[in-house]
Amino acid sequence: MTKPTLVSFKLCPYVQRSVINLLEKKVEYEIKYIELANKPDWFLKISPFGRVPVLVVGEEVLFESAVINEYLDETNLPSLHPEDPLLKAKHRAWAEFASALLVDQYGWTMSKEESDSNKKKEEILSKFKILESILPEPKNGTLFFAGETKHLVDTAYAPFFMRMEFLKNKGVQFDLVSGFPKVQTWSDTLLSLPSVKNSVLPEVPKEYIEFIKAHNSWMGGKL
C-alpha cells in the first residue's frame, strides 16, 4: 500500500493533530512542508480551501483535519473513538470546542491592540472554566478527557496546550493554564505523550515565538 502523504505548514496546529494520530496509529507516512505565504501551484490544485493539512492517499485527496483524523481512525484500528454513538458524538462536539480555543489563541497572540488581545485572553479563560467543570477527576496525576483512557478528542487539544506551554516558557504573564487544576493535569498528561512530543520539528518552539513577533502584534512586543 502506498504511504499517505501529509502536506504541512510546520507551525500549523491542525496539521499537528493529524501527525499525532499518525504516530498514535503507527502509520508509515511521508510529510511534505510548504510555506503558506508562498503556496505552490500543485498545492492550490489539490486543496480547495488553500489550507493545510491535506492528506494524499494514492490518487485521492482529503482536506480538513477533522475529516483526515476520522479517516485515519477508521482505517487504522483500534479506534480512538468511544464505541457508544452518543459518546462518540459528544467527543466530536468537544473536539470542535478545541478548534474554538485555537481560534482564540491565535487572536490572543496576533491582536494588534492590548485591549483586543486581552479580550481573547478572557475568552480562553472562560472556556477553561467550562472545561474545568466537565473534566473528570485525575487519577495518579494523569487525566484524559474521558478519565483514564486516551481518545481522539484528546489529540484535538494537544496542539493548543503545546502552544500555551511555548508561551508560558517566555514569561509567567502568559501562563493561563495553572489556575485550572484539572486542565493543567490534562495538559501535562497530553504533553508527556511520545506521539505529542514527536509531532513537531525541534525548531518549532522558537519559530512559533518568532512568528508572533514577526506579525507585530501587541503580544509580539512583549515576548
Side-chain angles (χ1 to χ4, degrees):
M1 182 179 291
T2 304
K3 293 180 184 178
T5 298
L6 186 68
V7 184
S8 169
F9 171 60
K10 62 184 173 181
L11 296 184
C12 178
Y14 298 97
V15 172
Q16 188 183 356
R17 291 176 172 181
S18 297
V19 175
I20 292 168
N21 285 310
L22 285 161
L23 294 174
E24 282 287 340
K25 298 286 187 172
K26 295 179 172 57
V27 176
E28 291 190 18
Y29 69 100
E30 295 178 352
I31 192 162
K32 185 176 292 187
Y33 295 100
I34 65 167
E35 291 295 330
L36 291 182
N38 186 24
K39 300 170 187 173
D41 289 340
W42 64 263
F43 172 72
L44 293 173
K45 289 178 181 178
I46 66 171
S47 178
F49 292 133
R51 298 195 298 244
V52 290
V54 166
L55 188 72
V56 181
V57 185
E59 299 297 318
E60 298 294 337
V61 175
L62 296 176
F63 56 96
E64 291 300 291
S65 64
V67 175
I68 290 170
N69 293 336
E70 291 280 348
Y71 166 78
L72 292 172
D73 191 62
E74 290 177 4
T75 55
N76 298 278
L77 300 176
S79 174
L80 288 173
H81 262 319
E83 290 186 11
D84 179 80
L86 185 58
L87 280 179
K88 187 183 295 186
K90 177 183 175 182
H91 280 207
R92 285 173 171 146
W94 283 104
E96 289 301 311
F97 196 79
S99 295
L101 271 171
L102 282 171
V103 172
D104 291 341
Q105 186 179 61
Y106 186 83
W108 182 41
T109 59
M110 291 293 166
S111 294
K112 300 296 185 183
E113 303 294 332
E114 180 180 6
S115 59
D116 293 332
S117 185
N118 285 338
K119 181 179 178 182
K120 286 299 179 183
K121 174 182 173 181
E122 290 304 317
E123 289 178 12
I124 292 171
L125 292 171
S126 69
K127 288 181 175 65
F128 280 178
K129 290 177 183 177
I130 295 170
L131 288 169
E132 188 75 11
S133 70
I134 63 99
L135 285 169
E137 291 297 327
K139 290 188 178 180
N140 301 317
T142 299
L143 179 64
F144 293 106
F145 179 81
E148 298 179 81
T149 304
K150 176 174 51 186
H151 287 95
L152 198 63
V153 64
D154 292 293
T155 70
Y157 284 84
F160 169 82
F161 285 129
M162 181 175 280
R163 281 151 186 77
M164 295 302 289
E165 192 74 7
F166 295 161
L167 293 168
K168 174 185 172 182
N169 290 339
K170 298 300 293 185
V172 67
Q173 68 270 35
F174 304 120
D175 177 14
L176 306 188
V177 180
S178 62
F180 301 88
K182 287 192 285 188
V183 174
Q184 180 71 72
T185 303
W186 187 25
S187 173
D188 293 342
T189 301
L190 295 179
L191 296 183
S192 72
L193 297 175
S195 61
V196 174
K197 290 180 178 179
N198 296 322
S199 63
V200 295
L201 295 171
E203 63 268 26
V204 163
K206 180 180 178 182
E207 290 191 9
Y208 176 70
I209 299 301
E210 292 303 319
F211 181 81
I212 296 171
K213 290 181 177 179
H215 282 75
N216 299 314
S217 66
W218 179 83
M219 182 185 287
K222 304 297 179 182
L223 291 170

